[in-house]
DNA sequence: GAGTGGTCTAGACCACTAA
DNA sequence: TAGTGGTCTAGACCACTCT
């Protein structure tokens, strides 16, 4: 319950470690408040900026959440109550919503034709500057936003793609047109969200988020869509199956 | 090149947005230094703490890296030079190392028998307090740390498991014993690393990391290992394939 | 030695919450 | 109204790098 002011370890790190210890050991339980910033200054004999910096790290690690006017509280990080969504299945959100008996909603934030940037064009096997659709969708499961999705899709075979089709089901539209999506390759990373994505997904500025750059293809292996997908891990947990051998 | 001091948007956010814009538009290119903290104070007419806070966010987003005594530089975040490792294959690191003609090294940091905590016991279909192996490994591909792995494994069928077997290849050991790993289920999340993991993987304190809670099972679907795996996305990029339909 | 980022202080004013 | 976190200032000393 004290810091060593002669230590090489910065004050804020020492304070963070002690708070972490108290949370891990359940001395401060999920739902409980940690000491207020003023209290931390008092307890450890540091300035408020230093106390805040210690708490900053706990916030970023997702251990606590701050509420102005109320206090800073320990978060229950267990996945127990989160809905599990598979990362290794594609175009199945509608199915999953059915299985779970939950509603699904697609909100189309942007939809227009653009010239493909070089990296997108290359992934789609197009000439640079070819026309593609660009769309941004925010998707809700049970009224909770679960993905923010920017995507670039082939224009040629789908000249009549509409906002309505995207609001309904992109998968259904493609099948109607006689194309069968086969799957996608994804590259997964952990990132901090931009402001726009953070706000859309109803996240705090400081929590990291899962990001996938996905390239989807038809059964003939023709790529038809490149997407940047951001997954909301606040209410959802994302799973995948790994196999030992290639088939 | 100026901030609005009457805006409701905090100064540090305005500065961050302007820097982000300059980096995105390539006005400041990868490898270039952004203005020093003193310069930012001068340019925007703010105190140093405010200027630093703006840069803090860029650091966390992985856009820039700070070097004491030298400056703060824009990072090249393209995946072009990263080695791609599949998340949806299990126990294949040795194979992959072979394919890439790179070395693999497993450093065993801890290895002992412990009583299984309730959550681990449940996942392994054991009684609470049953004996299990607990091990921590740091694994290197081409001398770069690519995963930090804490795992709990069945003790019963493997009374002679040794540090040496873990240093060599866990997969090979299991097959020798007549057990055939079939795959694993993983839950993926984005997190900020603890100090220990950060140091092991040679990361900065501020970059988010991919985490998987994995449950591995044999061909008869018997679970044999629970693992917390942390993936280093600094030198590696992690991929997976998604299918459209269940088989 | 000059310049960089890393840490820290002791204040300040503000917006929001709860009693 | 009292207490909380959110932002901000104008300094300070330090460790490190580069020349």
């Amino acid at each position: 319950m004290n810091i060593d002011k002669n230590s090489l370890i910065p004050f804020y790190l020492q304070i963070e470690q002690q708070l972490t210890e108290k949370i891990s050991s359940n001395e401060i339980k999920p739902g409980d408040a940690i000491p207020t910033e003023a209290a931390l200054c008092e307890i450890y004999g540091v300035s408020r900026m230093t106390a805040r910096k210690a708490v900053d790290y706990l916030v970023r690690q997702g251990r606590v959440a701050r509420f102005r006017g109320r206090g800073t509280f320990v978060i229950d990080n267990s996945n127990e109550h989160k809905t599990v969504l598979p990362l290794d299945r594609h175009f199945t959100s509608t199915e999953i919503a059915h299985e779970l008996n939950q509603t699904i909603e697609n909100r189309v934030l942007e939809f227009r034709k653009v010239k493909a940037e070089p990296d997108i064009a290359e992934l789609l096997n197009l000439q640079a500057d070819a026309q593609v659709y660009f769309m941004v969708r925010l998707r809700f499961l049970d009224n909770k936003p679960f993905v923010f999705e920017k995507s670039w899709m082939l224009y040629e075979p789908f000249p009549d793609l509409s906002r309505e089709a995207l609001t309904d089901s992109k998968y259904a539209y493609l099948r109607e047109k006689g194309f069968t999506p086969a799957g996608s390759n994804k590259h997964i990373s952990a990132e901090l969200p931009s402001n726009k994505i953070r706000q859309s997904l109803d996240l705090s500025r400081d929590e990291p988020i899962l990001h996938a750059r996905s390239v989807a293809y038809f059964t003939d292996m023709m790529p038809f869509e490149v997407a940047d997908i951001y997954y909301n891990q606040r209410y959802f947990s994302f799973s995948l199956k790994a196999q030992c051998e290639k088939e």
Side-chain angles (χ1 to χ4, degrees), chain A residues 13 16-17 49 57 60 84 87-90 92 99 171 175 181-193 195 205-206 208-210 233 237-246:
Chain A
L13 259 187
E16 182 215 335
Q17 283 164 6
M49 288 301 262
Y57 279 105
R60 292 193 231 167
V84 177
L87 282 177
D88 51 1
R89 286 169 60 196
H90 205 234
T92 49
E99 283 169 25
Y171 184 59
R175 295 209 66 137
S184 60
N185 288 312
K186 293 176 175 171
H187 280 78
I188 308 284
S189 58
E191 297 176 8
L192 279 187
N195 287 329
R205 187 171 173 73
D206 296 291
I209 191 172
L210 276 178
Q233 56 187 10
S237 163
F238 298 91
S239 71
L240 70 94
K241 287 191 202 309
Q243 304 294 327
C244 270
E245 315 273 337
K246 310 187 222 187

mmCIF file of all heavy atoms in Angstrom, chain A residues 13 16-17 49 57 60 84 87-90 92 99 171 175 181-193 195 205-206 208-210 233 237-246:
data_model
loop_
_atom_site.group_PDB
_atom_site.id
_atom_site.type_symbol
_atom_site.label_atom_id
_atom_site.label_comp_id
_atom_site.label_asym_id
_atom_site.label_seq_id
_atom_site.Cartn_x
_atom_site.Cartn_y
_atom_site.Cartn_z
ATOM 1 N N LEU A 13 3.568 3.214 -12.613
ATOM 2 C CA LEU A 13 3.615 1.765 -12.818
ATOM 3 C C LEU A 13 3.462 1.020 -11.502
ATOM 4 O O LEU A 13 2.774 0.010 -11.420
ATOM 5 C CB LEU A 13 4.947 1.376 -13.456
ATOM 6 C CG LEU A 13 4.937 1.100 -14.941
ATOM 7 C CD1 LEU A 13 6.273 0.559 -15.402
ATOM 8 C CD2 LEU A 13 3.837 0.098 -15.254
ATOM 9 N N GLU A 16 -0.137 1.200 -10.599
ATOM 10 C CA GLU A 16 -0.912 0.317 -11.472
ATOM 11 C C GLU A 16 -0.762 -1.132 -11.014
ATOM 12 O O GLU A 16 -1.736 -1.871 -10.943
ATOM 13 C CB GLU A 16 -0.424 0.465 -12.918
ATOM 14 C CG GLU A 16 -1.217 -0.381 -13.896
ATOM 15 C CD GLU A 16 -0.364 -0.931 -15.015
ATOM 16 O OE1 GLU A 16 0.676 -0.329 -15.331
ATOM 17 O OE2 GLU A 16 -0.739 -1.983 -15.563
ATOM 18 N N GLN A 17 0.479 -1.531 -10.712
ATOM 19 C CA GLN A 17 0.707 -2.917 -10.300
ATOM 20 C C GLN A 17 -0.042 -3.248 -9.017
ATOM 21 O O GLN A 17 -0.612 -4.328 -8.886
ATOM 22 C CB GLN A 17 2.214 -3.180 -10.143
ATOM 23 C CG GLN A 17 2.905 -3.364 -11.495
ATOM 24 C CD GLN A 17 4.425 -3.232 -11.418
ATOM 25 O OE1 GLN A 17 4.992 -3.107 -10.340
ATOM 26 N NE2 GLN A 17 5.080 -3.271 -12.573
ATOM 27 N N MET A 49 -2.048 13.911 -11.925
ATOM 28 C CA MET A 49 -1.678 13.436 -13.250
ATOM 29 C C MET A 49 -1.041 12.053 -13.158
ATOM 30 O O MET A 49 -1.248 11.194 -14.018
ATOM 31 C CB MET A 49 -0.706 14.413 -13.914
ATOM 32 C CG MET A 49 -1.334 15.728 -14.352
ATOM 33 S SD MET A 49 -2.686 15.504 -15.531
ATOM 34 C CE MET A 49 -1.818 15.821 -17.084
ATOM 35 N N TYR A 57 -3.802 3.003 -17.603
ATOM 36 C CA TYR A 57 -3.387 1.695 -18.087
ATOM 37 C C TYR A 57 -4.407 0.618 -17.740
ATOM 38 O O TYR A 57 -4.641 -0.296 -18.521
ATOM 39 C CB TYR A 57 -2.005 1.334 -17.541
ATOM 40 C CG TYR A 57 -0.909 1.990 -18.341
ATOM 41 C CD1 TYR A 57 -0.211 3.079 -17.858
ATOM 42 C CD2 TYR A 57 -0.601 1.510 -19.615
ATOM 43 C CE1 TYR A 57 0.782 3.691 -18.608
ATOM 44 C CE2 TYR A 57 0.390 2.111 -20.381
ATOM 45 C CZ TYR A 57 1.077 3.201 -19.866
ATOM 46 O OH TYR A 57 2.053 3.793 -20.631
ATOM 47 N N ARG A 60 -7.115 0.873 -20.282
ATOM 48 C CA ARG A 60 -6.747 0.326 -21.581
ATOM 49 C C ARG A 60 -6.717 -1.182 -21.580
ATOM 50 O O ARG A 60 -6.940 -1.814 -22.596
ATOM 51 C CB ARG A 60 -5.358 0.822 -21.967
ATOM 52 C CG ARG A 60 -5.340 2.290 -22.253
ATOM 53 C CD ARG A 60 -4.045 2.615 -22.904
ATOM 54 N NE ARG A 60 -3.393 3.719 -22.257
ATOM 55 C CZ ARG A 60 -2.128 4.049 -22.477
ATOM 56 N NH1 ARG A 60 -1.394 3.319 -23.292
ATOM 57 N NH2 ARG A 60 -1.607 5.080 -21.878
ATOM 58 N N VAL A 84 -21.305 -15.957 -28.783
ATOM 59 C CA VAL A 84 -20.139 -16.428 -29.529
ATOM 60 C C VAL A 84 -20.427 -16.393 -31.020
ATOM 61 O O VAL A 84 -21.428 -16.937 -31.483
ATOM 62 C CB VAL A 84 -19.767 -17.867 -29.117
ATOM 63 C CG1 VAL A 84 -18.593 -18.370 -29.952
ATOM 64 C CG2 VAL A 84 -19.442 -17.927 -27.639
ATOM 65 N N LEU A 87 -15.532 -16.810 -36.406
ATOM 66 C CA LEU A 87 -14.780 -16.027 -37.395
ATOM 67 C C LEU A 87 -14.537 -16.836 -38.655
ATOM 68 O O LEU A 87 -14.210 -16.276 -39.698
ATOM 69 C CB LEU A 87 -13.413 -15.639 -36.819
ATOM 70 C CG LEU A 87 -13.375 -14.488 -35.831
ATOM 71 C CD1 LEU A 87 -11.953 -14.315 -35.314
ATOM 72 C CD2 LEU A 87 -13.843 -13.208 -36.521
ATOM 73 N N ASP A 88 -14.652 -18.158 -38.528
ATOM 74 C CA ASP A 88 -14.267 -19.007 -39.657
ATOM 75 C C ASP A 88 -15.466 -19.451 -40.482
ATOM 76 O O ASP A 88 -15.413 -20.438 -41.189
ATOM 77 C CB ASP A 88 -13.460 -20.211 -39.175
ATOM 78 C CG ASP A 88 -14.160 -20.951 -38.035
ATOM 79 O OD1 ASP A 88 -15.279 -20.529 -37.651
ATOM 80 O OD2 ASP A 88 -13.598 -21.924 -37.539
ATOM 81 N N ARG A 89 -16.551 -18.711 -40.333
ATOM 82 C CA ARG A 89 -17.673 -18.925 -41.255
ATOM 83 C C ARG A 89 -18.005 -17.582 -41.875
ATOM 84 O O ARG A 89 -17.823 -16.535 -41.271
ATOM 85 C CB ARG A 89 -18.875 -19.523 -40.534
ATOM 86 C CG ARG A 89 -18.644 -21.007 -40.212
ATOM 87 C CD ARG A 89 -19.684 -21.554 -39.295
ATOM 88 N NE ARG A 89 -21.023 -21.462 -39.849
ATOM 89 C CZ ARG A 89 -22.116 -21.593 -39.094
ATOM 90 N NH1 ARG A 89 -22.014 -21.791 -37.785
ATOM 91 N NH2 ARG A 89 -23.295 -21.509 -39.639
ATOM 92 N N HIS A 90 -18.470 -17.614 -43.100
ATOM 93 C CA HIS A 90 -18.656 -16.382 -43.843
ATOM 94 C C HIS A 90 -20.097 -16.275 -44.275
ATOM 95 O O HIS A 90 -20.709 -17.276 -44.616
ATOM 96 C CB HIS A 90 -17.730 -16.399 -45.069
ATOM 97 C CG HIS A 90 -17.403 -15.018 -45.547
ATOM 98 N ND1 HIS A 90 -17.600 -14.590 -46.818
ATOM 99 C CD2 HIS A 90 -16.884 -13.968 -44.881
ATOM 100 C CE1 HIS A 90 -17.216 -13.333 -46.930
ATOM 101 N NE2 HIS A 90 -16.772 -12.926 -45.783
ATOM 102 N N THR A 92 -22.786 -15.809 -42.645
ATOM 103 C CA THR A 92 -23.673 -16.683 -41.907
ATOM 104 C C THR A 92 -24.407 -15.929 -40.809
ATOM 105 O O THR A 92 -25.111 -16.531 -40.012
ATOM 106 C CB THR A 92 -22.889 -17.841 -41.261
ATOM 107 O OG1 THR A 92 -21.780 -17.282 -40.588
ATOM 108 C CG2 THR A 92 -22.440 -18.831 -42.301
ATOM 109 N N GLU A 99 -30.625 -19.041 -35.550
ATOM 110 C CA GLU A 99 -30.330 -20.061 -34.539
ATOM 111 C C GLU A 99 -30.529 -19.516 -33.126
ATOM 112 O O GLU A 99 -31.034 -20.195 -32.248
ATOM 113 C CB GLU A 99 -28.874 -20.541 -34.676
ATOM 114 C CG GLU A 99 -28.643 -21.505 -35.831
ATOM 115 C CD GLU A 99 -27.156 -21.733 -36.078
ATOM 116 O OE1 GLU A 99 -26.363 -21.556 -35.124
ATOM 117 O OE2 GLU A 99 -26.791 -22.080 -37.212
ATOM 118 N N TYR A 171 -25.675 -11.761 -49.023
ATOM 119 C CA TYR A 171 -25.541 -13.162 -49.402
ATOM 120 C C TYR A 171 -26.709 -13.598 -50.280
ATOM 121 O O TYR A 171 -26.520 -14.181 -51.350
ATOM 122 C CB TYR A 171 -25.485 -14.001 -48.128
ATOM 123 C CG TYR A 171 -25.244 -15.460 -48.332
ATOM 124 C CD1 TYR A 171 -24.101 -15.914 -48.987
ATOM 125 C CD2 TYR A 171 -26.146 -16.407 -47.844
ATOM 126 C CE1 TYR A 171 -23.867 -17.260 -49.156
ATOM 127 C CE2 TYR A 171 -25.923 -17.758 -48.005
ATOM 128 C CZ TYR A 171 -24.783 -18.189 -48.661
ATOM 129 O OH TYR A 171 -24.554 -19.523 -48.822
ATOM 130 N N ARG A 175 -26.639 -14.866 -54.323
ATOM 131 C CA ARG A 175 -27.163 -16.169 -54.745
ATOM 132 C C ARG A 175 -28.253 -15.980 -55.792
ATOM 133 O O ARG A 175 -28.329 -16.742 -56.763
ATOM 134 C CB ARG A 175 -27.713 -16.938 -53.545
ATOM 135 C CG ARG A 175 -26.609 -17.282 -52.550
ATOM 136 C CD ARG A 175 -26.918 -18.542 -51.804
ATOM 137 N NE ARG A 175 -26.910 -19.693 -52.691
ATOM 138 C CZ ARG A 175 -26.363 -20.862 -52.392
ATOM 139 N NH1 ARG A 175 -25.780 -21.032 -51.222
ATOM 140 N NH2 ARG A 175 -26.413 -21.865 -53.236
ATOM 141 N N PRO A 181 -20.959 -17.622 -53.132
ATOM 142 C CA PRO A 181 -19.766 -17.335 -52.325
ATOM 143 C C PRO A 181 -19.255 -18.624 -51.698
ATOM 144 O O PRO A 181 -20.055 -19.435 -51.215
ATOM 145 C CB PRO A 181 -20.283 -16.378 -51.250
ATOM 146 C CG PRO A 181 -21.559 -15.827 -51.798
ATOM 147 C CD PRO A 181 -22.132 -16.915 -52.653
ATOM 148 N N ALA A 182 -17.931 -18.812 -51.739
ATOM 149 C CA ALA A 182 -17.370 -20.047 -51.194
ATOM 150 C C ALA A 182 -16.738 -19.818 -49.833
ATOM 151 O O ALA A 182 -16.772 -20.686 -48.967
ATOM 152 C CB ALA A 182 -16.330 -20.601 -52.155
ATOM 153 N N GLY A 183 -16.156 -18.628 -49.655
ATOM 154 C CA GLY A 183 -15.492 -18.365 -48.378
ATOM 155 C C GLY A 183 -14.611 -17.143 -48.477
ATOM 156 O O GLY A 183 -14.757 -16.340 -49.406
ATOM 157 N N SER A 184 -13.711 -16.999 -47.527
ATOM 158 C CA SER A 184 -12.828 -15.837 -47.548
ATOM 159 C C SER A 184 -11.524 -16.147 -46.839
ATOM 160 O O SER A 184 -11.436 -17.078 -46.040
ATOM 161 C CB SER A 184 -13.514 -14.653 -46.853
ATOM 162 O OG SER A 184 -13.805 -14.970 -45.509
ATOM 163 N N ASN A 185 -10.502 -15.371 -47.165
ATOM 164 C CA ASN A 185 -9.256 -15.398 -46.404
ATOM 165 C C ASN A 185 -9.206 -14.141 -45.568
ATOM 166 O O ASN A 185 -9.457 -13.049 -46.073
ATOM 167 C CB ASN A 185 -8.044 -15.438 -47.336
ATOM 168 C CG ASN A 185 -7.909 -16.776 -48.016
ATOM 169 O OD1 ASN A 185 -7.988 -17.800 -47.361
ATOM 170 N ND2 ASN A 185 -7.709 -16.756 -49.327
ATOM 171 N N LYS A 186 -8.866 -14.296 -44.298
ATOM 172 C CA LYS A 186 -8.812 -13.135 -43.426
ATOM 173 C C LYS A 186 -7.427 -12.997 -42.808
ATOM 174 O O LYS A 186 -6.791 -13.994 -42.483
ATOM 175 C CB LYS A 186 -9.839 -13.281 -42.297
ATOM 176 C CG LYS A 186 -11.293 -13.239 -42.761
ATOM 177 C CD LYS A 186 -12.237 -13.485 -41.591
ATOM 178 C CE LYS A 186 -13.695 -13.320 -42.015
ATOM 179 N NZ LYS A 186 -14.626 -13.758 -40.957
ATOM 180 N N HIS A 187 -7.004 -11.762 -42.637
ATOM 181 C CA HIS A 187 -5.834 -11.483 -41.818
ATOM 182 C C HIS A 187 -6.313 -10.746 -40.584
ATOM 183 O O HIS A 187 -6.933 -9.693 -40.690
ATOM 184 C CB HIS A 187 -4.812 -10.638 -42.582
ATOM 185 C CG HIS A 187 -3.979 -11.443 -43.513
ATOM 186 N ND1 HIS A 187 -4.430 -11.883 -44.726
ATOM 187 C CD2 HIS A 187 -2.721 -11.932 -43.376
ATOM 188 C CE1 HIS A 187 -3.484 -12.599 -45.312
ATOM 189 N NE2 HIS A 187 -2.434 -12.641 -44.522
ATOM 190 N N ILE A 188 -6.014 -11.316 -39.439
ATOM 191 C CA ILE A 188 -6.553 -10.793 -38.191
ATOM 192 C C ILE A 188 -5.501 -9.993 -37.439
ATOM 193 O O ILE A 188 -4.347 -10.394 -37.360
ATOM 194 C CB ILE A 188 -6.981 -11.956 -37.268
ATOM 195 C CG1 ILE A 188 -7.884 -12.921 -37.998
ATOM 196 C CG2 ILE A 188 -7.628 -11.440 -35.996
ATOM 197 C CD1 ILE A 188 -9.277 -12.432 -38.189
ATOM 198 N N SER A 189 -5.921 -8.869 -36.878
ATOM 199 C CA SER A 189 -5.003 -8.122 -36.021
ATOM 200 C C SER A 189 -5.751 -7.442 -34.891
ATOM 201 O O SER A 189 -6.973 -7.322 -34.917
ATOM 202 C CB SER A 189 -4.234 -7.081 -36.843
ATOM 203 O OG SER A 189 -5.138 -6.209 -37.482
ATOM 204 N N ALA A 190 -4.999 -7.038 -33.889
ATOM 205 C CA ALA A 190 -5.543 -6.293 -32.756
ATOM 206 C C ALA A 190 -5.161 -4.835 -32.949
ATOM 207 O O ALA A 190 -4.010 -4.524 -33.216
ATOM 208 C CB ALA A 190 -4.970 -6.825 -31.447
ATOM 209 N N GLU A 191 -6.127 -3.936 -32.839
ATOM 210 C CA GLU A 191 -5.856 -2.517 -33.071
ATOM 211 C C GLU A 191 -6.643 -1.652 -32.107
ATOM 212 O O GLU A 191 -7.581 -2.108 -31.479
ATOM 213 C CB GLU A 191 -6.267 -2.124 -34.501
ATOM 214 C CG GLU A 191 -5.489 -2.828 -35.570
ATOM 215 C CD GLU A 191 -5.981 -2.487 -36.972
ATOM 216 O OE1 GLU A 191 -6.824 -1.581 -37.108
ATOM 217 O OE2 GLU A 191 -5.520 -3.160 -37.912
ATOM 218 N N LEU A 192 -6.260 -0.376 -32.046
ATOM 219 C CA LEU A 192 -7.145 0.580 -31.384
ATOM 220 C C LEU A 192 -8.035 1.185 -32.450
ATOM 221 O O LEU A 192 -7.569 1.528 -33.530
ATOM 222 C CB LEU A 192 -6.334 1.678 -30.689
ATOM 223 C CG LEU A 192 -5.767 1.296 -29.334
ATOM 224 C CD1 LEU A 192 -5.148 2.508 -28.676
ATOM 225 C CD2 LEU A 192 -6.833 0.722 -28.420
ATOM 226 N N PRO A 193 -9.317 1.325 -32.170
ATOM 227 C CA PRO A 193 -10.248 1.796 -33.198
ATOM 228 C C PRO A 193 -10.090 3.285 -33.482
ATOM 229 O O PRO A 193 -9.683 4.051 -32.612
ATOM 230 C CB PRO A 193 -11.613 1.522 -32.578
ATOM 231 C CG PRO A 193 -11.391 1.547 -31.116
ATOM 232 C CD PRO A 193 -9.993 1.043 -30.895
ATOM 233 N N ASN A 195 -11.847 6.975 -34.281
ATOM 234 C CA ASN A 195 -12.978 7.595 -33.598
ATOM 235 C C ASN A 195 -14.308 7.151 -34.171
ATOM 236 O O ASN A 195 -15.259 6.885 -33.451
ATOM 237 C CB ASN A 195 -12.879 9.113 -33.701
ATOM 238 C CG ASN A 195 -11.777 9.639 -32.812
ATOM 239 O OD1 ASN A 195 -11.497 9.053 -31.768
ATOM 240 N ND2 ASN A 195 -11.132 10.702 -33.224
ATOM 241 N N ARG A 205 -12.774 4.854 -25.975
ATOM 242 C CA ARG A 205 -11.657 5.185 -26.820
ATOM 243 C C ARG A 205 -10.472 4.267 -26.602
ATOM 244 O O ARG A 205 -9.595 4.162 -27.438
ATOM 245 C CB ARG A 205 -11.232 6.615 -26.482
ATOM 246 C CG ARG A 205 -10.207 7.123 -27.395
ATOM 247 C CD ARG A 205 -9.959 8.581 -27.195
ATOM 248 N NE ARG A 205 -8.826 8.913 -28.022
ATOM 249 C CZ ARG A 205 -8.884 8.992 -29.316
ATOM 250 N NH1 ARG A 205 -10.021 8.829 -29.932
ATOM 251 N NH2 ARG A 205 -7.797 9.251 -30.018
ATOM 252 N N ASP A 206 -10.414 3.628 -25.488
ATOM 253 C CA ASP A 206 -9.180 2.973 -25.110
ATOM 254 C C ASP A 206 -9.158 1.470 -25.289
ATOM 255 O O ASP A 206 -8.145 0.850 -25.090
ATOM 256 C CB ASP A 206 -8.865 3.327 -23.650
ATOM 257 C CG ASP A 206 -8.611 4.810 -23.502
ATOM 258 O OD1 ASP A 206 -7.589 5.259 -24.001
ATOM 259 O OD2 ASP A 206 -9.462 5.506 -22.921
ATOM 260 N N PRO A 208 -8.920 -2.018 -27.146
ATOM 261 C CA PRO A 208 -8.499 -2.564 -28.428
ATOM 262 C C PRO A 208 -9.638 -3.348 -29.074
ATOM 263 O O PRO A 208 -10.591 -3.739 -28.408
ATOM 264 C CB PRO A 208 -7.346 -3.496 -28.074
ATOM 265 C CG PRO A 208 -7.133 -3.431 -26.625
ATOM 266 C CD PRO A 208 -8.224 -2.623 -26.014
ATOM 267 N N ILE A 209 -9.498 -3.564 -30.365
ATOM 268 C CA ILE A 209 -10.569 -4.176 -31.137
ATOM 269 C C ILE A 209 -9.964 -5.157 -32.131
ATOM 270 O O ILE A 209 -8.811 -5.009 -32.529
ATOM 271 C CB ILE A 209 -11.357 -3.055 -31.854
ATOM 272 C CG1 ILE A 209 -12.643 -3.561 -32.473
ATOM 273 C CG2 ILE A 209 -10.502 -2.365 -32.902
ATOM 274 C CD1 ILE A 209 -13.512 -2.430 -32.996
ATOM 275 N N LEU A 210 -10.746 -6.171 -32.502
ATOM 276 C CA LEU A 210 -10.294 -7.126 -33.514
ATOM 277 C C LEU A 210 -10.579 -6.573 -34.900
ATOM 278 O O LEU A 210 -11.681 -6.104 -35.163
ATOM 279 C CB LEU A 210 -11.048 -8.446 -33.379
ATOM 280 C CG LEU A 210 -10.550 -9.466 -32.381
ATOM 281 C CD1 LEU A 210 -11.486 -10.669 -32.385
ATOM 282 C CD2 LEU A 210 -9.142 -9.907 -32.729
ATOM 283 N N GLN A 233 -15.906 -6.665 -29.417
ATOM 284 C CA GLN A 233 -15.730 -7.739 -28.442
ATOM 285 C C GLN A 233 -16.326 -7.391 -27.078
ATOM 286 O O GLN A 233 -16.100 -8.081 -26.101
ATOM 287 C CB GLN A 233 -14.253 -8.141 -28.311
ATOM 288 C CG GLN A 233 -13.330 -7.018 -27.964
ATOM 289 C CD GLN A 233 -11.851 -7.471 -28.032
ATOM 290 O OE1 GLN A 233 -11.538 -8.555 -28.502
ATOM 291 N NE2 GLN A 233 -10.963 -6.628 -27.538
ATOM 292 N N SER A 237 -18.035 -12.659 -28.428
ATOM 293 C CA SER A 237 -16.768 -13.355 -28.320
ATOM 294 C C SER A 237 -16.579 -14.087 -29.645
ATOM 295 O O SER A 237 -17.536 -14.630 -30.197
ATOM 296 C CB SER A 237 -16.866 -14.315 -27.138
ATOM 297 O OG SER A 237 -15.863 -15.278 -27.206
ATOM 298 N N PHE A 238 -15.362 -14.074 -30.188
ATOM 299 C CA PHE A 238 -15.157 -14.586 -31.541
ATOM 300 C C PHE A 238 -14.332 -15.860 -31.528
ATOM 301 O O PHE A 238 -13.263 -15.915 -30.926
ATOM 302 C CB PHE A 238 -14.533 -13.501 -32.407
ATOM 303 C CG PHE A 238 -15.435 -12.312 -32.525
ATOM 304 C CD1 PHE A 238 -15.345 -11.254 -31.636
ATOM 305 C CD2 PHE A 238 -16.440 -12.297 -33.475
ATOM 306 C CE1 PHE A 238 -16.212 -10.178 -31.710
ATOM 307 C CE2 PHE A 238 -17.327 -11.230 -33.558
ATOM 308 C CZ PHE A 238 -17.213 -10.168 -32.679
ATOM 309 N N SER A 239 -14.864 -16.864 -32.190
ATOM 310 C CA SER A 239 -14.252 -18.187 -32.114
ATOM 311 C C SER A 239 -13.772 -18.645 -33.475
ATOM 312 O O SER A 239 -14.172 -18.125 -34.516
ATOM 313 C CB SER A 239 -15.282 -19.191 -31.607
ATOM 314 O OG SER A 239 -16.249 -19.417 -32.609
ATOM 315 N N LEU A 240 -12.894 -19.635 -33.467
ATOM 316 C CA LEU A 240 -12.532 -20.311 -34.706
ATOM 317 C C LEU A 240 -12.023 -21.696 -34.370
ATOM 318 O O LEU A 240 -11.611 -21.967 -33.241
ATOM 319 C CB LEU A 240 -11.480 -19.515 -35.481
ATOM 320 C CG LEU A 240 -10.060 -19.420 -34.937
ATOM 321 C CD1 LEU A 240 -9.182 -20.505 -35.533
ATOM 322 C CD2 LEU A 240 -9.479 -18.069 -35.311
ATOM 323 N N LYS A 241 -12.080 -22.556 -35.364
ATOM 324 C CA LYS A 241 -11.586 -23.914 -35.197
ATOM 325 C C LYS A 241 -10.270 -24.041 -35.938
ATOM 326 O O LYS A 241 -10.131 -23.557 -37.057
ATOM 327 C CB LYS A 241 -12.577 -24.915 -35.803
ATOM 328 C CG LYS A 241 -13.836 -25.109 -34.996
ATOM 329 C CD LYS A 241 -14.606 -26.306 -35.529
ATOM 330 C CE LYS A 241 -16.078 -26.218 -35.139
ATOM 331 N NZ LYS A 241 -16.277 -25.966 -33.696
ATOM 332 N N ALA A 242 -9.291 -24.682 -35.296
ATOM 333 C CA ALA A 242 -8.018 -24.950 -35.963
ATOM 334 C C ALA A 242 -7.890 -26.457 -36.176
ATOM 335 O O ALA A 242 -8.279 -27.237 -35.307
ATOM 336 C CB ALA A 242 -6.864 -24.445 -35.109
ATOM 337 N N GLN A 243 -7.374 -26.847 -37.315
ATOM 338 C CA GLN A 243 -7.171 -28.263 -37.613
ATOM 339 C C GLN A 243 -5.680 -28.567 -37.546
ATOM 340 O O GLN A 243 -4.853 -27.691 -37.761
ATOM 341 C CB GLN A 243 -7.673 -28.596 -39.030
ATOM 342 C CG GLN A 243 -9.116 -28.237 -39.280
ATOM 343 C CD GLN A 243 -10.063 -29.053 -38.440
ATOM 344 O OE1 GLN A 243 -9.795 -30.220 -38.151
ATOM 345 N NE2 GLN A 243 -11.163 -28.446 -38.012
ATOM 346 N N CYS A 244 -5.361 -29.825 -37.275
ATOM 347 C CA CYS A 244 -3.953 -30.176 -37.175
ATOM 348 C C CYS A 244 -3.266 -30.334 -38.523
ATOM 349 O O CYS A 244 -2.118 -29.980 -38.674
ATOM 350 C CB CYS A 244 -3.776 -31.442 -36.352
ATOM 351 S SG CYS A 244 -3.567 -31.043 -34.618
ATOM 352 N N GLU A 245 -3.950 -30.928 -39.473
ATOM 353 C CA GLU A 245 -3.304 -31.200 -40.757
ATOM 354 C C GLU A 245 -4.105 -30.529 -41.856
ATOM 355 O O GLU A 245 -5.298 -30.347 -41.735
ATOM 356 C CB GLU A 245 -3.300 -32.715 -41.044
ATOM 357 C CG GLU A 245 -2.910 -33.578 -39.872
ATOM 358 C CD GLU A 245 -1.414 -33.771 -39.780
ATOM 359 O OE1 GLU A 245 -0.755 -33.617 -40.829
ATOM 360 O OE2 GLU A 245 -0.917 -34.062 -38.680
ATOM 361 N N LYS A 246 -3.414 -30.227 -42.929
ATOM 362 C CA LYS A 246 -4.162 -29.861 -44.131
ATOM 363 C C LYS A 246 -4.870 -31.121 -44.627
ATOM 364 O O LYS A 246 -4.360 -32.225 -44.456
ATOM 365 C CB LYS A 246 -3.221 -29.420 -45.259
ATOM 366 C CG LYS A 246 -2.211 -28.400 -44.854
ATOM 367 C CD LYS A 246 -1.480 -27.935 -46.103
ATOM 368 C CE LYS A 246 0.012 -27.820 -45.786
ATOM 369 N NZ LYS A 246 0.783 -27.231 -46.879
#
